[in-house]
Amino acid sequence: MTLETKLVGDKQLVLTRAVSAPPDRVYRAHTEATLVRQWMSGAMGYVVADCTYDARPGGSFPVVWEGEAAEMPDFEVTGEFLALDPPHRIEHVERMHLPDMTTSDSHIVTEFAAHAAGTLMTMTMTYESRDARDEAIATGMTEGMEAFYLQLDTL
């Protein structure tokens, strides 16, 4: 299954994707730096240069990607964890730092549910405004996410 996207109201983007692993493994792949590095590196010509996860309420994370080619700009995502319910739910705030801009904060709730032979992951991203949501989408974020999720399927 590929990443399905749905706009909800003025401020939300809901992403849904089936992953061929049980919920506990998919949850860990979203909260443990060693696993994050594995599936978020190498897609679309980007490698993870730095990744630290303090997966607890109040903990933070940076993930820094470097482009393998000179014309590919480096970028970073930073955030803070608000609540965790292993292996069912992660709630956090994040922002994307690009060379020419930093997106506004998005409030994200990711839910992991047993589904067929794996996990149905639903990510609800809430932005400050319609413009902020549309600006984030325009960065190519969802295409990059799907490229990473293809790699998550192989873990």
Side-chain angles (χ1 to χ4, degrees):
M1 171 182 188
T2 58
L3 186 67
E4 294 180 9
T5 62
K6 180 180 177 183
L7 301 178
V8 177
D10 287 338
K11 298 180 183 180
Q12 287 189 325
L13 171 63
V14 177
L15 308 170
T16 307
R17 191 176 193 288
V19 180
S20 58
D24 63 317
R25 285 189 24 213
V26 180
Y27 178 91
R28 287 182 44 235
H30 282 80
T31 57
E32 295 179 17
T34 303
L35 295 174
V36 171
R37 282 180 179 274
Q38 288 179 25
W39 67 275
M40 285 193 179
S41 199
M44 299 178 68
Y46 282 93
V47 294
V48 173
D50 183 35
C51 176
T52 307
Y53 269 64
D54 183 8
R56 62 177 176 82
S60 63
F61 63 89
V63 182
V64 178
W65 287 269
E66 293 179 347
E68 294 178 322
E71 68 275 3
M72 298 173 69
D74 299 348
F75 69 98
E76 177 179 12
V77 172
T78 60
E80 297 81 37
F81 290 100
L82 302 175
L84 296 103
D85 179 18
H88 310 288
R89 186 175 186 273
I90 301 168
E91 182 177 355
H92 72 282
V93 173
E94 75 176 35
R95 67 216 52 86
M96 192 177 342
H97 307 271
L98 303 167
D100 298 332
M101 67 174 275
T102 296
T103 64
S104 63
D105 287 1
S106 59
H107 180 262
I108 302 172
V109 174
T110 307
E111 298 174 299
F112 308 94
H115 173 73
T119 301
L120 183 63
M121 183 179 67
T122 303
M123 182 181 295
T124 303
M125 306 175 83
T126 305
Y127 293 87
E128 295 173 353
S129 66
R130 177 189 295 249
D131 288 343
R133 178 192 66 192
D134 295 348
E135 180 180 72
I137 293 169
T139 67
M141 168 187 74
T142 56
E143 292 85 358
M145 290 172 77
E146 176 55 17
F148 292 140
Y149 287 135
L150 287 170
Q151 295 185 160
L152 177 61
D153 280 332
T154 66
L155 280 185

